Amino acid sequence: MILRRAPVPALVLFLVVALAGLAPRGWAVADTLPNRLSDVEFWQLSEQMSEPDGFFRSDNLLSNELYYPEVMPELIRRVPAGRVYLGVGPEQNFNYIVAIKPKMVFITDIRRGNLHTQLMYKALFELSKDRAEFVSRLFTKPRPAGLTDQTTAAQLMQAYWEVASSDAPAFEKNLQAVKDQLT
């Protein structure tokens, strides 16, 4: 069977391209979407679309997809910006989202932990003025000197590798900032 042999990213690409093609060209799809959801709308939608936590054999909350970069050129070529992105699970969605620049994003997963992880990332993105601050908050580590917008991802991670994690009160303060941002 063809679907069984296809890598998961190829299936994601197929679904995104198929869904993107549902509306005839020229339709102002993005114009029918709100510019932003209110906090109440966001939480209601999150609660309505989410299943309660339950048992799942694996606690893997990270991507196991190795080939998603291979579908990017075709994805960018076929999918116009400003549509709706539907994704599943972990962090590889961020790459797809940056590539196709949707107006609204829905990420679903069977694991409740992925909802919590995505919400944490959402808060950290909103709280951070740049990538270096994001990494600082993500790992509760003080920001090393000299990091700029020109710092590569490898340089950024190396700089933080050299820095000790902050103490428990700093972690609690960081965690509270995430909770406050989400509520």
Side-chain angles (χ1 to χ4, degrees):
M1 177 177 204
I2 293 173
L3 290 178
R4 211 169 88 183
R5 291 189 191 127
V8 173
L11 296 175
V12 171
L13 174 63
F14 170 77
L15 290 173
V16 170
V17 170
L19 290 171
L22 287 178
R25 293 241 181 249
W27 272 25
V29 175
D31 293 342
T32 63
L33 296 172
N35 286 330
R36 186 173 202 286
L37 295 177
S38 70
D39 290 343
V40 170
E41 290 169 321
F42 174 81
W43 285 108
Q44 285 176 341
L45 187 60
S46 181
E47 198 55 39
Q48 290 168 355
M49 292 183 66
S50 298
E51 294 182 20
D53 198 13
F55 174 78
F56 193 75
R57 281 198 244 198
S58 167
D59 286 333
N60 180 11
L61 299 179
L62 300 175
S63 174
N64 58 0
E65 297 184 21
L66 301 176
Y67 303 104
Y68 69 86
E70 294 178 18
V71 302
M72 287 295 195
E74 187 69 11
L75 187 65
I76 292 167
R77 188 179 75 73
R78 289 184 177 231
V79 179
R83 300 282 179 99
V84 173
Y85 173 82
L86 304 173
V88 178
E91 80 291 338
Q92 82 272 4
N93 287 294
F94 299 133
N95 294 294
Y96 296 130
I97 293 164
V98 168
I100 64 172
K101 298 170 182 54
K103 187 166 182 183
M104 190 170 287
V105 173
F106 294 91
I107 300 174
T108 61
D109 197 282
I110 193 169
R111 297 168 192 88
R112 187 71 165 191
N114 267 326
L115 171 64
H116 298 155
T117 301
Q118 297 295 338
L119 289 172
M120 177 196 68
Y121 281 135
K122 176 186 185 306
L124 292 174
F125 287 144
E126 292 171 350
L127 288 166
S128 302
K129 67 180 182 218
D130 59 21
R131 295 180 312 147
E133 185 175 346
F134 171 82
V135 175
S136 174
R137 289 177 180 277
L138 180 63
F139 296 114
T140 313
K141 290 186 169 200
R143 181 183 181 134
L147 300 178
T148 70
D149 290 345
Q150 303 306 310
T151 303
T152 67
Q155 292 167 332
L156 188 71
M157 296 313 292
Q158 183 61 45
Y160 277 101
W161 183 261
E162 305 292 329
V163 176
S165 295
S166 298
D167 58 12
F171 172 80
E172 291 301 326
K173 181 180 176 188
N174 192 31
L175 179 60
Q176 191 59 51
V178 168
K179 290 178 180 179
D180 291 346
Q181 183 69 20
L182 292 173
T183 57

